[in-house]
Amino acid sequence: MNICAVIILMGTLVNGATSTIHSLMEFEISSTQVPNFPEFAFVAVLNGLPIQYYDSNTRRVVPKQEWMNRVTEKEAQYWERNAQRGFNIGQMLKGYLEIVRQRLNQTEGLHLLQVMAGCEWDDETDEINGYYQTAFDGQDFIALDSKTETFVAAKSEAFPIKLQLEETGEAVSLTYRMTHVCVKWLKWYMQFEDKLKRKELPLVSFLQKCSSSPVTCHATGFYPDRALLFWAKDGEELDEDPGEILPNHDGTFQTSVSLDLSSVPAEDWKRYSCVFQLSGVTEDLITRLDSSKILSNERKLSTSTITAAVLSGVGVAVVVVTVGIVLYRRHHNNNVI
């Protein structure tokens, strides 16, 4: 099983279209009695892109972005040191998982302990937020409140562990690591990521299931993810919900917006256009709607079009990543663990 590839939705959750917030997140999972799955694995994510992966089967850290191979220019023993770090974290979470299983009286069978740890840094205001959230078998368990340097227990069974962690000073120590050490590494990684500076405009296409369905404007292949796609009529933006920004297999992004034109006469369709705006690019990419160029189930698609559509949507929804998305969503919806 390939448990680290494209992280669906993560770019959207971490960065908004106009945000100047940078993030470094690590999603960790410790498991017991899960067939064909390592006992421990983690994936590190910088600004919505996976940058490195480790699991207990290989005991190696591998780069997930080409530019990550350059880190040894500044730290010769980087990969060896992080492999040891991965092993140490795995052992720690293995012990923690056992404590939780005993506390919940669930010592038999398949179990998972999931962790989201990391930080966000606003490069304009210099505001920093640190996160450390855990879940047991998909259920919220304990989270760090970095503002108060305390832990929050999601259920009564977690309360004794919360108290123990606070008594040993773990809350204070973890807060420092998430708000200082993490940010230091975030900035360190960013010096290598040339992709942060690049700007790539998308390929824009119009899609429609059938002649009576809404028309979808699909933009794929753009970078970075700080972008906005919307419909316009006679040059005026229409009030429609923006689409989610999703990652592609190659590190670029895609998004789409749909518009119901069923009540609009065919001769008026030319008044509509799809507008793409990319942060750092002054000129908008405007694609006027042309009914003859709409791809649909009623019109035969070329092999190259089908291939591009499939590849642009490639994403492995793995356990490590899925957990991270759920935890991150919960936090930003103010449902603190």
Side-chain angles (χ1 to χ4, degrees):
M1 179 187 295
N2 177 6
I3 66 172
C4 177
V6 179
I7 300 187
I8 295 185
L9 299 181
M10 193 58 63
T12 303
L13 295 173
V14 174
N15 292 311
T18 60
S19 174
T20 57
I21 295 176
H22 304 285
S23 64
L24 176 62
M25 298 289 174
E26 188 163 284
F27 302 102
E28 306 162 353
I29 184 165
S30 180
S31 64
T32 177
Q33 299 185 30
V34 181
N36 304 315
F37 198 83
E39 287 188 347
F40 173 73
F42 79 71
V43 58
V45 180
L46 177 69
N47 291 328
L49 288 177
I51 60 172
Q52 62 183 13
Y53 168 78
Y54 170 91
D55 68 52
S56 56
N57 288 346
T58 63
R59 293 191 179 183
R60 294 176 55 244
V61 180
V62 294
K64 304 306 294 184
Q65 300 294 327
E66 181 62 32
W67 55 264
M68 275 293 289
N69 291 303
R70 296 173 48 202
V71 297
T72 51
E73 296 173 5
K74 294 289 184 71
E75 177 61 63
Q77 300 301 314
Y78 176 86
W79 299 110
E80 293 82 357
R81 192 166 51 77
N82 274 270
Q84 183 61 50
R85 172 179 170 273
F87 176 80
N88 293 341
I89 295 176
Q91 293 299 108
M92 179 190 71
L93 290 187
K94 182 178 180 180
Y96 186 42
L97 175 57
E98 184 60 29
I99 292 174
V100 174
R101 291 171 63 199
Q102 294 288 343
R103 176 67 61 180
L104 300 180
N105 195 27
Q106 297 185 25
T107 57
E108 302 296 330
L110 181 156
H111 295 287
L112 300 172
L113 176 67
Q114 303 121 341
V115 176
M116 182 196 82
C119 56
E120 290 180 339
W121 166 60
D122 191 317
D123 63 7
E124 289 187 353
T125 66
D126 210 33
E127 180 182 358
I128 295 171
N129 290 309
Y131 307 107
Y132 192 90
Q133 302 176 224
T134 67
F136 177 72
D137 288 349
Q139 298 296 314
D140 301 342
F141 197 69
I142 286 179
L144 173 71
D145 184 339
S146 61
K147 303 299 183 183
T148 62
E149 297 186 336
T150 60
F151 286 102
V152 179
K155 52 182 63 180
S156 58
E157 294 88 344
F159 193 74
I161 298 178
K162 156 192 157 63
L163 294 180
Q164 182 179 356
L165 290 172
E166 290 174 349
E167 289 173 359
T168 59
E170 183 62 20
V172 175
S173 174
L174 198 56
T175 296
Y176 179 81
R177 295 204 299 273
M178 295 302 103
T179 58
H180 291 78
V181 178
C182 176
V183 175
K184 177 183 177 181
W185 279 106
L186 166 61
K187 296 177 181 179
W188 192 81
Y189 286 126
M190 285 177 60
Q191 69 182 311
F192 298 103
E193 193 186 9
D194 293 335
K195 288 186 177 181
L196 286 176
K197 301 179 179 63
R198 89 174 196 258
K199 309 290 181 183
E200 293 187 16
L201 293 175
L203 171 67
V204 178
S205 304
F206 293 111
L207 312 172
Q208 191 177 33
K209 291 182 179 180
C210 62
S211 58
S212 60
S213 301
V215 178
T216 297
C217 177
H218 181 251
T220 185
F222 60 88
Y223 194 94
D225 65 339
R226 300 182 184 91
L228 187 63
L229 184 70
F230 59 88
W231 282 97
K233 179 182 179 182
D234 296 330
E236 295 295 324
E237 180 178 353
L238 299 178
D239 187 18
E240 301 288 335
D241 293 332
E244 292 181 320
I245 296 181
L246 309 177
N248 290 325
H249 71 290
D250 60 356
T252 62
F253 297 90
Q254 62 170 302
T255 188
S256 61
V257 288
S258 298
L259 185 65
D260 186 357
L261 296 171
S262 58
S263 61
V264 178
E267 59 269 21
D268 287 342
W269 280 31
K270 61 185 178 181
R271 299 172 61 187
Y272 293 83
S273 58
C274 191
V275 182
F276 178 84
Q277 296 176 342
L278 185 65
S279 177
V281 177
T282 56
E283 292 188 13
D284 296 345
L285 178 61
I286 302 175
T287 308
R288 188 171 297 280
L289 178 60
D290 184 341
S291 58
S292 66
K293 295 182 179 179
I294 297 176
L295 302 175
S296 72
N297 293 337
E298 298 172 349
R299 183 178 289 112
K300 185 177 180 181
L301 303 182
S302 67
T303 302
S304 60
T305 300
I306 295 174
T307 302
V310 172
L311 290 178
S312 68
V314 169
V316 181
V318 298
V319 176
V320 179
V321 171
T322 302
V323 168
I325 293 172
V326 171
L327 291 176
Y328 201 89
R329 271 181 170 161
R330 286 174 180 166
H331 179 88
H332 283 267
N333 287 334
N334 297 317
N335 296 325
V336 179
I337 289 181

